[in-house]
Amino acid sequence: DEAQITRQLILPYDTMLEQRYLRRLSIISELKRALVEDDDQLSVAYQPKLNLKQGRITGVEALLRWNNPALGFVSPDDFISVAEQAGFIGQVTDWVINRVVKDIQGFTAAGISLNVAINLSAQDVLNQQLLPGVLSLLDRHGVSKDALSFEITESDLVKDPKAAIVHLQAIRDAGFSLAIDDFGTGYSSMAYLKNLPVNTLKVDKSFVLNLDSEPGDQNIVQTVIELAHTFDMSVVAEGIENQPSLQLLADWGCEWAQGYFICKPIPAQQLIDWYAQHQHTDWLS
Ligand code: C2E
Ligand code: MG
Ligand code: MG
Ligand code: MG
């Protein structure tokens, strides 16, 4: 009968929802446990940033990795949003910052000076404890402020621009470099950009992945570079997967490049080896 047909149509969908809900619940409980027990489930991968003006690697981005015995490898695109919604992203960020500061000491010991960019969520930006916490952590470990910078996703910021601006200004005033991440996906207005206390725009990888073959993307990226320069900001392009794309960005005056073509995100120790091997690489020929 009709009711039975309806039930059959709905059932698989319901089951799917239920599975997603259960997965979410286990992400919450497992991630909270991993944060507290610090038992090697979490790690930070570093992805180099190529300074196109200097032709050398001067920075990296810190990207959180999570490998859970029950859930397997979980992508940050899945667990970061869950931690945000469940209200404990602050703990995640604390964990990342602490690990990054330790790893910076390792880089320094290896004779490598790199700026490490940390991804912040909107909740982190609004958290009054963040900045004093970071400053005292750096102080305690004898790490300079130049060693750290921050990235905030554009779509996160535009939700409450007024509040965000005040906090971003404080982060800038403290001496940290700030980038808008995934730029081009969040509908920033010109007026907003003009007032935003950031010094870098990071072009979203969706415009960069096929840059060499997509004239539309080429127009967008060139426009973003010009726009950024109008506001005295510099530009990072993320998601460079081939040499022609890298060459285009250099030709257009883009300041920084990041992507699998240069290097994938790798663990700290591997980064030290990679850096030694690529110190004299000529990326643009
Ligand atoms: P994001 O900050 O925009 O980072 C760039 C993402 O693009 C990373 O994915 C990186 O591995 C990937 N990527 C880099 N180069 C290429 C490339 O050439 N091709 C392709 N296809 N992908 C490339 P990942 O590591 O999976 O991170 C995804 C997102 O999760 C990040 O996007 C960021 O928004 C968030 N995330 C990662 N770690 C953290 C963290 O510690 N805190 C917070 N709040 N968010 C984080
Ligand atoms: Mg980022
Ligand atoms: Mg992002
Ligand atoms: Mg991105």
Side-chain angles (χ1 to χ4, degrees):
D1 65 341
E2 201 175 306
Q4 190 176 350
I5 292 168
T6 310
R7 229 176 290 127
Q8 278 170 351
L9 283 174
I10 286 174
L11 190 64
Y13 185 66
D14 252 351
T15 313
M16 230 170 69
L17 273 183
E18 192 176 299
Q19 277 170 0
R20 280 184 51 182
Y21 178 72
L22 290 176
R23 182 177 158 83
R24 224 185 96 92
L25 284 185
S26 42
I27 286 180
I28 294 173
S29 61
E30 290 294 319
L31 183 54
K32 280 186 170 172
R33 206 146 57 95
L35 285 165
V36 174
E37 292 175 5
D38 199 354
D39 51 2
D40 288 341
Q41 289 182 32
L42 293 163
S43 64
V44 173
Y46 294 91
Q47 187 179 32
K49 285 184 191 174
L50 173 65
N51 182 319
L52 291 169
K53 306 285 174 179
Q54 301 178 10
R56 59 189 195 97
I57 305 295
T58 52
V60 291
E61 176 176 9
L63 295 156
L64 186 55
R65 297 289 175 259
W66 181 30
N67 194 352
N68 176 266
L71 296 164
F73 179 82
V74 189
S75 160
D77 280 324
D78 294 337
F79 69 78
I80 292 288
S81 60
V82 171
E84 285 171 345
Q85 287 155 17
F88 66 101
I89 189 69
Q91 264 171 272
V92 176
T93 306
D94 280 350
W95 191 94
V96 171
I97 295 176
N98 275 283
R99 173 57 59 88
V100 163
V101 168
K102 282 181 200 146
D103 286 340
I104 288 175
Q105 292 180 301
F107 301 153
T108 308
I112 303 173
S113 160
L114 289 170
N115 176 280
V116 182
I118 289 178
N119 289 284
L120 295 181
S121 294
Q123 287 173 49
D124 297 318
V125 171
L126 300 176
N127 173 4
Q128 306 271 15
Q129 312 303 317
L130 179 87
L131 189 55
V134 168
L135 290 172
S136 85
L137 184 73
L138 291 177
D139 198 46
R140 267 182 282 138
H141 289 82
V143 171
S144 126
K145 284 194 273 185
D146 313 333
L148 221 57
S149 59
F150 299 100
E151 300 184 1
I152 302 108
T153 300
E154 184 191 26
S155 54
D156 265 8
L157 280 182
V158 294
K159 283 175 202 150
D160 189 358
K162 282 229 176 72
I165 284 175
V166 175
H167 290 85
L168 295 176
Q169 187 67 58
I171 296 174
R172 286 286 292 145
D173 289 346
F176 297 104
S177 172
L178 266 179
I180 301 195
D181 209 344
D182 301 347
F183 186 77
T185 61
Y187 310 103
S188 289
S189 70
M190 294 291 152
Y192 177 51
L193 264 187
K194 195 183 102 183
N195 293 314
L196 208 56
V198 305
N199 56 317
T200 306
L201 294 186
K202 195 161 181 183
V203 191
D204 189 65
K205 61 175 177 289
S206 60
F207 306 115
V208 179
L209 290 172
N210 302 306
L211 191 64
D212 58 318
S213 57
E214 294 283 343
D217 290 341
Q218 295 178 8
N219 286 332
I220 291 169
V221 172
Q222 269 183 293
T223 305
V224 171
I225 293 171
E226 280 165 30
L227 179 75
H229 291 168
T230 304
F231 289 116
D232 278 324
M233 297 175 183
S234 51
V235 182
V236 183
E238 64 175 15
I240 293 144
E241 294 196 348
N242 54 60
Q243 213 281 337
S245 300
L246 183 68
Q247 189 61 56
L248 285 174
L249 290 159
D251 293 345
W252 297 334
C254 180
E255 279 82 5
W256 312 82
Q258 197 182 8
Y260 293 171
F261 175 70
I262 298 160
C263 186
K264 287 194 173 184
I266 49 179
Q269 185 52 52
Q270 228 171 295
L271 178 78
I272 291 172
D273 300 339
W274 182 92
Y275 184 88
Q277 284 158 18
H278 291 83
Q279 234 174 341
H280 303 292
T281 300
D282 192 355
W283 292 100
L284 292 167
S285 63

